[in-house]
Amino acid sequence: DLKPEDRILVNLNQQDNDKVGEWYAAQVVEVVSRRKLLTCTVFVGVDNTPLPDVKISQLEQIFALEEPIPVAERDSLTTQALTTSSIKRVHTVECEECGDNDAKKCKECGCNKCGKKNNPESLIICDECQKNFHLKCIGLRELPEDDYYCAECKREDTTIKPGDKLVNKKLKSAPSQVKEQKRDWGKGFACAGRSTTNDTIPGNFKGAIPGTQVGMTWSKRIQLSENGIHRPPVAGIHANEKDGAMSIVLNGGYEDDLDNGEEFLYTGSGGRDLGGNRRTNVQSFDQELTKSNKGLAANCNTKLNEDGGEAKDWKKG
């Protein structure tokens, strides 16, 4: 029965025209019944700002706008008719999964574990996925002081802490793994391979390693490699010609190494005959400005050539 110029009340969702929205006054512009097409000028805001040529998709409920009746002119029957209605208008739903039905279990707007919506004061929200959880459903007695992350969002910390034991799944039933031990049995000492790596930082990372503080100690050299502080299990220099030097280790392997606490002299790499599977030997020939040695030089504030270079201001790196 609609025709152009009629003033009506329509439902419109300004973000998604296919979904239920809020109610606005409108004026009919065009009606095509066979195509179920209704075009209106919609008036929004306190200033009734017009939105021209709006396609109305919510056609199930459309109400006629009648002239308002002043309060002084209303009788009892008119007042009753204006304040009571058998028709309930639809409104925007917050949860599309359950349609805001409080009696229906929903893991989207209720507890993500049990689906219930009771005891809202005991719900905690995951700081990552923003889902709700009853404290009881996740085994908590009270709200944690720090941020909360659910089981799906929580990331495992693979950083090796000082004193951590090396975990070997093949030896999970061994006495050293199932009983409390004061000794870290591990897998060996200097020649042990890595059992884990710190994947939170890239291999060419330069700077302070998160979670590591000055003064920390480790019982084995290999734990420095696992923690990402010094990646090479044996070599004293972690460097390459492209990225420069990431870290070095002073271990007394060269007679010219000098550690004064706040500063040290570092000899570099090479210059020793390690043939015959030797782990160390005396200095017998000059080192070469290649590989890790060139990586060390690349960290200096100077231009390099075949003979090296001289850094005028070493504090600039």
Side-chain angles (χ1 to χ4, degrees), residues 284-304:
S284 57
F285 55 90
D286 292 337
Q287 297 178 346
E288 298 179 357
L289 189 62
T290 59
K291 300 180 179 178
S292 58
N293 285 337
K294 193 168 184 179
L296 282 175
N299 281 26
C300 298
N301 182 31
T302 184
K303 294 182 178 181
L304 297 177

Side-chain angles (χ1 to χ4, degrees), residues 167-317:
V167 178
N168 188 335
K169 294 182 179 179
K170 295 181 180 180
L171 301 176
K172 62 180 180 179
S173 300
S176 61
Q177 302 296 323
V178 299
K179 295 182 179 180
E180 183 64 27
Q181 300 286 337
K182 294 183 179 179
R183 177 180 175 184
D184 183 358
W185 293 90
K187 284 186 175 180
F189 207 78
C191 59
R194 284 193 297 252
S195 62
T196 186
T197 56
N198 186 354
D199 298 327
T200 60
I201 56 175
N204 60 352
F205 177 80
K206 297 179 182 178
I209 304 299
T212 303
Q213 300 177 358
V214 175
M216 282 186 173
T217 59
W218 289 262
S219 60
K220 297 179 177 64
R221 162 71 181 272
I222 192 63
Q223 290 176 323
L224 297 179
S225 177
E226 293 171 336
N227 202 358
I229 297 175
H230 185 72
R231 297 279 182 174
V234 177
I237 304 175
H238 179 203
N240 57 63
E241 297 182 10
K242 177 182 177 182
D243 299 318
M246 276 61 73
S247 62
I248 59 175
V249 168
L250 292 174
N251 61 0
Y254 292 85
E255 59 183 11
D256 294 334
D257 286 348
L258 180 61
D259 185 2
N260 293 325
E262 294 185 354
E263 62 180 13
F264 56 84
L265 298 178
Y266 197 77
T267 303
S269 175
R272 296 184 295 182
D273 181 11
L274 300 181
N277 199 27
R278 296 186 181 93
R279 296 298 298 272
T280 185
N281 204 347
V282 297
Q283 199 79 22
S284 57
F285 55 90
D286 292 337
Q287 297 178 346
E288 298 179 357
L289 189 62
T290 59
K291 300 180 179 178
S292 58
N293 285 337
K294 193 168 184 179
L296 282 175
N299 281 26
C300 298
N301 182 31
T302 184
K303 294 182 178 181
L304 297 177
N305 53 36
E306 295 181 355
D307 299 323
E310 181 180 357
K312 301 297 182 181
D313 188 354
W314 63 270
K315 291 184 179 181
K316 289 186 177 180

Side-chain angles (χ1 to χ4, degrees), residues 45-65:
V46 294
D47 297 328
N48 288 326
T49 304
L51 300 179
D53 299 328
V54 177
K55 307 296 183 183
I56 305 300
S57 61
Q58 304 298 323
L59 303 178
E60 290 79 9
Q61 288 187 335
I62 297 177
F63 298 92
L65 279 180

